[in-house]
Amino acid sequence: MRFDVLTIFPELLQSFSECSLIGRAQRKELLTLCTTDLREFATDKHHTVDDEPYGGGGGMVMKAQPWIEAVRAVTELHPSPPHRILLTPQGQTLCEAKVRELANHERLLLLCGRYEAIDERVAELVVDEEISIGDYVLSGGELPAMVLIEAVSRQIPGVVGFNDSVVNDSFRKGLLDYPHYTRPEEVEGLVVPPVLRSGDHAKIDRWRQQQAESATREKRPDLWQRWQGRQR
Ligand code: 9D3
């Protein structure tokens, strides 16, 4: 799978790509992460990518022309046409189902904005889909792009190790995880539930399932409602 990222802070994504599981996946040739500096597509001598908003008000707006030319140029870097995603607070919130859907694309092109906004014509002309990572304010689309890349990469066979198994992940099943314990048996008066030391694996499986269900019911009633609905 190939990820292209358009940003005015390519070094932010480069450092992410060198560390994390993304670097290892690239060395194993399971994925490619390629960043492009949007400023290369600004035509004036100061490489301006923003301007004042029509209609007034505070903040600056990213100009349409550098984005449009950059998307077209980056598209040509590789033969398969990319699915183009704009990271924006106005997008659909990213969830595990969306992550799995995105992993079916051979190539994703992520557009990361900065400043207050991006000229609306960018979304109309060169974007297939708008995605947000949640309802809180960040300074731009770079961290959201990294979140999306990490989540989608984990779906690619071989990117995560067996112990980190993707198919078994509790989110995939719609429940929170059950509690985990390691040595020692007692920590400040709190002991490991005896069932986990019983050696009875059928009993352990039942206990873990019950714990996952009660944790979901108590901590995430929204997920619990959905899970109950799907059990019927
Ligand atoms: C004043 C209105 N704000 C919109 C809710 C302005 C605004 C806030 C944050 C404009 C741009 C940004 C920068 N954020 C992103 O580009 C962004 C983002 C986010 O802030 N939260 C969650 N997901 C995302 S994806 C891109």
Side-chain angles (χ1 to χ4, degrees), residues 60 86-94 111-118 130-145:
M60 297 295 271
L86 175 63
L87 284 316
T88 164
Q90 281 79 45
Q92 268 190 64
T93 310
L94 189 64
L111 286 68
C112 306
R114 283 267 153 177
Y115 308 103
E116 275 307 291
I118 302 179
E130 299 183 352
I131 291 180
S132 158
I133 61 163
D135 294 338
Y136 34 82
V137 180
L138 301 170
S139 306
E142 286 78 10
L143 280 167

Short mmCIF file of all heavy atoms in Angstrom, two decimals, residues 60 86-94 111-118 130-145, ligand 1:
data_model
loop_
_atom_site.label_atom_id
_atom_site.label_comp_id
_atom_site.label_asym_id
_atom_site.label_seq_id
_atom_site.Cartn_x
_atom_site.Cartn_y
_atom_site.Cartn_z
N MET A 60 -6.54 33.09 8.46
CA MET A 60 -6.14 33.04 7.06
C MET A 60 -6.72 31.79 6.42
O MET A 60 -7.02 30.81 7.10
CB MET A 60 -4.61 33.03 6.95
CG MET A 60 -3.95 34.30 7.49
SD MET A 60 -4.38 35.77 6.52
CE MET A 60 -3.07 35.72 5.29
N LEU A 86 -9.16 14.56 2.50
CA LEU A 86 -8.83 15.82 3.18
C LEU A 86 -9.06 15.64 4.67
O LEU A 86 -10.17 15.28 5.09
CB LEU A 86 -9.70 16.96 2.63
CG LEU A 86 -9.56 18.32 3.32
CD1 LEU A 86 -8.14 18.89 3.18
CD2 LEU A 86 -10.58 19.32 2.75
N LEU A 87 -8.01 15.85 5.49
CA LEU A 87 -8.16 15.83 6.94
C LEU A 87 -8.70 17.19 7.36
O LEU A 87 -8.04 18.22 7.13
CB LEU A 87 -6.82 15.56 7.62
CG LEU A 87 -6.26 14.13 7.63
CD1 LEU A 87 -7.32 13.10 7.97
CD2 LEU A 87 -5.55 13.78 6.35
N THR A 88 -9.88 17.20 7.94
CA THR A 88 -10.53 18.46 8.31
C THR A 88 -11.51 18.23 9.46
O THR A 88 -12.11 17.16 9.56
CB THR A 88 -11.30 19.05 7.09
OG1 THR A 88 -12.22 20.06 7.53
CG2 THR A 88 -12.10 18.00 6.35
N PRO A 89 -11.67 19.25 10.35
CA PRO A 89 -12.65 19.12 11.44
C PRO A 89 -14.08 18.90 10.91
O PRO A 89 -14.93 18.42 11.64
CB PRO A 89 -12.56 20.45 12.18
CG PRO A 89 -11.25 21.04 11.79
CD PRO A 89 -10.96 20.54 10.41
N GLN A 90 -14.33 19.24 9.65
CA GLN A 90 -15.66 19.07 9.06
C GLN A 90 -15.92 17.65 8.53
O GLN A 90 -17.01 17.36 8.06
CB GLN A 90 -15.86 20.05 7.89
CG GLN A 90 -16.18 21.47 8.31
CD GLN A 90 -14.95 22.24 8.76
OE1 GLN A 90 -13.91 22.20 8.13
NE2 GLN A 90 -15.06 22.93 9.86
N GLY A 91 -14.89 16.78 8.60
CA GLY A 91 -15.04 15.44 8.03
C GLY A 91 -15.81 14.47 8.90
O GLY A 91 -16.19 14.77 10.04
N GLN A 92 -16.06 13.28 8.35
CA GLN A 92 -16.65 12.17 9.11
C GLN A 92 -15.63 11.69 10.12
O GLN A 92 -14.44 11.59 9.80
CB GLN A 92 -16.86 10.98 8.17
CG GLN A 92 -18.19 10.87 7.49
CD GLN A 92 -18.26 9.49 6.82
OE1 GLN A 92 -18.24 8.46 7.47
NE2 GLN A 92 -18.34 9.51 5.50
N THR A 93 -16.06 11.34 11.32
CA THR A 93 -15.11 10.89 12.35
C THR A 93 -14.57 9.51 12.00
O THR A 93 -15.33 8.59 11.69
CB THR A 93 -15.80 10.84 13.73
OG1 THR A 93 -16.45 12.09 13.93
CG2 THR A 93 -14.79 10.62 14.84
N LEU A 94 -13.26 9.37 12.09
CA LEU A 94 -12.61 8.10 11.79
C LEU A 94 -13.00 7.04 12.83
O LEU A 94 -13.00 7.31 14.03
CB LEU A 94 -11.08 8.30 11.80
CG LEU A 94 -10.24 7.12 11.30
CD1 LEU A 94 -10.51 6.83 9.83
CD2 LEU A 94 -8.75 7.42 11.50
N LEU A 111 -4.41 15.01 2.44
CA LEU A 111 -4.20 16.45 2.36
C LEU A 111 -4.31 17.02 3.78
O LEU A 111 -5.37 16.91 4.41
CB LEU A 111 -5.25 17.12 1.47
CG LEU A 111 -5.15 16.95 -0.06
CD1 LEU A 111 -5.43 15.51 -0.48
CD2 LEU A 111 -6.14 17.89 -0.75
N CYS A 112 -3.21 17.62 4.27
CA CYS A 112 -3.20 18.17 5.63
C CYS A 112 -3.23 19.69 5.57
O CYS A 112 -2.29 20.31 5.08
CB CYS A 112 -1.93 17.76 6.36
SG CYS A 112 -1.63 15.99 6.37
N GLY A 113 -4.28 20.28 6.10
CA GLY A 113 -4.40 21.73 6.12
C GLY A 113 -3.80 22.33 7.38
O GLY A 113 -3.58 21.65 8.38
N ARG A 114 -3.51 23.62 7.32
CA ARG A 114 -3.08 24.43 8.47
C ARG A 114 -3.91 25.70 8.41
O ARG A 114 -4.78 25.83 7.55
CB ARG A 114 -1.59 24.78 8.37
CG ARG A 114 -0.69 23.62 8.75
CD ARG A 114 -0.33 23.69 10.23
NE ARG A 114 -0.04 22.34 10.77
CZ ARG A 114 0.35 22.14 12.02
NH1 ARG A 114 0.52 23.16 12.86
NH2 ARG A 114 0.57 20.93 12.46
N TYR A 115 -3.65 26.67 9.23
CA TYR A 115 -4.42 27.92 9.29
C TYR A 115 -5.89 27.64 9.61
O TYR A 115 -6.23 26.53 9.99
CB TYR A 115 -4.26 28.73 7.98
CG TYR A 115 -2.81 28.95 7.60
CD1 TYR A 115 -2.22 28.21 6.59
CD2 TYR A 115 -2.04 29.87 8.30
CE1 TYR A 115 -0.89 28.40 6.26
CE2 TYR A 115 -0.70 30.06 7.97
CZ TYR A 115 -0.13 29.31 6.95
OH TYR A 115 1.17 29.49 6.64
N GLU A 116 -6.73 28.62 9.45
CA GLU A 116 -8.14 28.46 9.85
C GLU A 116 -8.94 27.57 8.91
O GLU A 116 -9.87 26.89 9.32
CB GLU A 116 -8.81 29.83 9.98
CG GLU A 116 -8.61 30.49 11.33
CD GLU A 116 -9.01 29.60 12.51
OE1 GLU A 116 -10.21 29.34 12.66
OE2 GLU A 116 -8.12 29.16 13.25
N ALA A 117 -8.58 27.59 7.63
CA ALA A 117 -9.41 26.89 6.65
C ALA A 117 -8.69 26.71 5.32
O ALA A 117 -7.61 27.27 5.11
CB ALA A 117 -10.70 27.66 6.44
N ILE A 118 -9.31 25.94 4.45
CA ILE A 118 -8.82 25.75 3.08
C ILE A 118 -9.92 26.22 2.15
O ILE A 118 -11.11 25.95 2.40
CB ILE A 118 -8.51 24.26 2.81
CG1 ILE A 118 -7.46 23.74 3.82
CG2 ILE A 118 -8.04 24.04 1.38
CD1 ILE A 118 -7.11 22.27 3.64
N GLU A 130 -13.78 13.56 3.14
CA GLU A 130 -13.25 14.39 4.22
C GLU A 130 -13.31 13.60 5.52
O GLU A 130 -14.35 13.04 5.85
CB GLU A 130 -14.08 15.69 4.35
CG GLU A 130 -14.04 16.53 3.08
CD GLU A 130 -14.78 17.86 3.21
OE1 GLU A 130 -15.46 18.08 4.23
OE2 GLU A 130 -14.67 18.67 2.28
N ILE A 131 -12.19 13.59 6.26
CA ILE A 131 -12.14 12.83 7.52
C ILE A 131 -11.58 13.69 8.65
O ILE A 131 -10.62 14.45 8.48
CB ILE A 131 -11.30 11.53 7.33
CG1 ILE A 131 -12.06 10.57 6.41
CG2 ILE A 131 -10.99 10.87 8.67
CD1 ILE A 131 -11.37 9.26 6.15
N SER A 132 -12.19 13.53 9.84
CA SER A 132 -11.75 14.14 11.09
C SER A 132 -11.36 12.99 12.02
O SER A 132 -11.77 11.85 11.79
CB SER A 132 -12.93 14.92 11.70
OG SER A 132 -12.77 15.10 13.09
N ILE A 133 -10.55 13.25 13.06
CA ILE A 133 -10.28 12.16 14.00
C ILE A 133 -11.05 12.34 15.31
O ILE A 133 -10.91 11.55 16.24
CB ILE A 133 -8.77 11.93 14.28
CG1 ILE A 133 -8.11 13.15 14.90
CG2 ILE A 133 -8.06 11.49 13.01
CD1 ILE A 133 -6.75 12.81 15.56
N GLY A 134 -11.89 13.38 15.41
CA GLY A 134 -12.70 13.55 16.62
C GLY A 134 -13.00 15.01 16.87
O GLY A 134 -12.36 15.90 16.30
N ASP A 135 -13.95 15.26 17.76
CA ASP A 135 -14.42 16.62 18.00
C ASP A 135 -13.60 17.34 19.06
O ASP A 135 -14.04 17.51 20.20
CB ASP A 135 -15.91 16.60 18.38
CG ASP A 135 -16.77 16.12 17.22
OD1 ASP A 135 -16.29 16.20 16.06
OD2 ASP A 135 -17.89 15.66 17.46
N TYR A 136 -12.38 17.73 18.69
CA TYR A 136 -11.51 18.57 19.51
C TYR A 136 -10.63 19.32 18.52
O TYR A 136 -10.42 18.86 17.40
CB TYR A 136 -10.65 17.73 20.48
CG TYR A 136 -10.23 16.41 19.91
CD1 TYR A 136 -9.14 16.32 19.05
CD2 TYR A 136 -10.95 15.25 20.18
CE1 TYR A 136 -8.77 15.12 18.48
CE2 TYR A 136 -10.58 14.03 19.62
CZ TYR A 136 -9.50 13.98 18.78
OH TYR A 136 -9.15 12.78 18.20
N VAL A 137 -10.12 20.48 18.95
CA VAL A 137 -9.40 21.34 18.01
C VAL A 137 -7.89 21.08 18.04
O VAL A 137 -7.26 21.16 19.09
CB VAL A 137 -9.69 22.84 18.30
CG1 VAL A 137 -8.94 23.73 17.32
CG2 VAL A 137 -11.19 23.12 18.23
N LEU A 138 -7.35 20.77 16.88
CA LEU A 138 -5.90 20.61 16.70
C LEU A 138 -5.41 21.76 15.83
O LEU A 138 -6.21 22.58 15.39
CB LEU A 138 -5.59 19.26 16.04
CG LEU A 138 -6.08 18.02 16.80
CD1 LEU A 138 -5.95 16.78 15.94
CD2 LEU A 138 -5.31 17.87 18.10
N SER A 139 -4.10 21.81 15.57
CA SER A 139 -3.56 22.92 14.79
C SER A 139 -3.46 22.63 13.30
O SER A 139 -3.08 23.50 12.53
CB SER A 139 -2.16 23.29 15.31
OG SER A 139 -2.23 23.53 16.68
N GLY A 140 -3.74 21.41 12.91
CA GLY A 140 -3.64 21.07 11.49
C GLY A 140 -3.91 19.61 11.27
O GLY A 140 -4.19 18.87 12.22
N GLY A 141 -3.81 19.19 10.02
CA GLY A 141 -4.15 17.82 9.65
C GLY A 141 -3.01 16.81 9.77
O GLY A 141 -3.22 15.63 9.51
N GLU A 142 -1.81 17.26 10.22
CA GLU A 142 -0.67 16.34 10.23
C GLU A 142 -0.81 15.22 11.26
O GLU A 142 -0.58 14.05 10.93
CB GLU A 142 0.64 17.11 10.45
CG GLU A 142 1.11 17.91 9.23
CD GLU A 142 0.35 19.22 9.04
OE1 GLU A 142 -0.41 19.62 9.95
OE2 GLU A 142 0.52 19.85 7.98
N LEU A 143 -1.14 15.57 12.52
CA LEU A 143 -1.33 14.51 13.51
C LEU A 143 -2.48 13.59 13.11
O LEU A 143 -2.32 12.36 13.16
CB LEU A 143 -1.55 15.10 14.91
CG LEU A 143 -0.27 15.54 15.62
CD1 LEU A 143 -0.60 16.38 16.85
CD2 LEU A 143 0.56 14.34 16.04
N PRO A 144 -3.63 14.12 12.67
CA PRO A 144 -4.68 13.24 12.16
C PRO A 144 -4.20 12.31 11.03
O PRO A 144 -4.55 11.14 11.00
CB PRO A 144 -5.76 14.21 11.68
CG PRO A 144 -5.61 15.38 12.61
CD PRO A 144 -4.12 15.51 12.81
N ALA A 145 -3.36 12.82 10.12
CA ALA A 145 -2.84 11.97 9.03
C ALA A 145 -2.01 10.82 9.60
O ALA A 145 -2.12 9.67 9.17
CB ALA A 145 -2.00 12.80 8.06
C1 9D3 B 1 -13.19 28.09 14.34
C2 9D3 B 1 -13.60 26.82 13.70
N1 9D3 B 1 -12.58 25.76 13.73
C3 9D3 B 1 -13.19 24.56 13.11
C4 9D3 B 1 -13.77 23.64 14.11
C5 9D3 B 1 -11.39 26.18 13.00
C6 9D3 B 1 -10.33 25.16 12.82
C7 9D3 B 1 -9.87 24.37 13.87
C8 9D3 B 1 -8.83 23.47 13.68
C9 9D3 B 1 -9.73 25.03 11.59
C10 9D3 B 1 -8.70 24.15 11.40
C11 9D3 B 1 -8.23 23.39 12.43
C12 9D3 B 1 -7.09 22.48 12.23
N2 9D3 B 1 -7.48 21.07 12.39
C13 9D3 B 1 -7.43 20.20 11.40
O1 9D3 B 1 -7.01 20.54 10.30
C14 9D3 B 1 -7.94 18.86 11.62
C15 9D3 B 1 -8.54 18.26 12.77
C16 9D3 B 1 -8.86 18.75 14.07
O2 9D3 B 1 -8.59 19.90 14.45
N3 9D3 B 1 -9.48 17.89 14.93
C17 9D3 B 1 -9.77 16.61 14.61
N4 9D3 B 1 -9.51 16.11 13.41
C18 9D3 B 1 -8.90 16.93 12.51
S1 9D3 B 1 -8.50 16.49 10.95
C19 9D3 B 1 -7.85 17.96 10.58
#
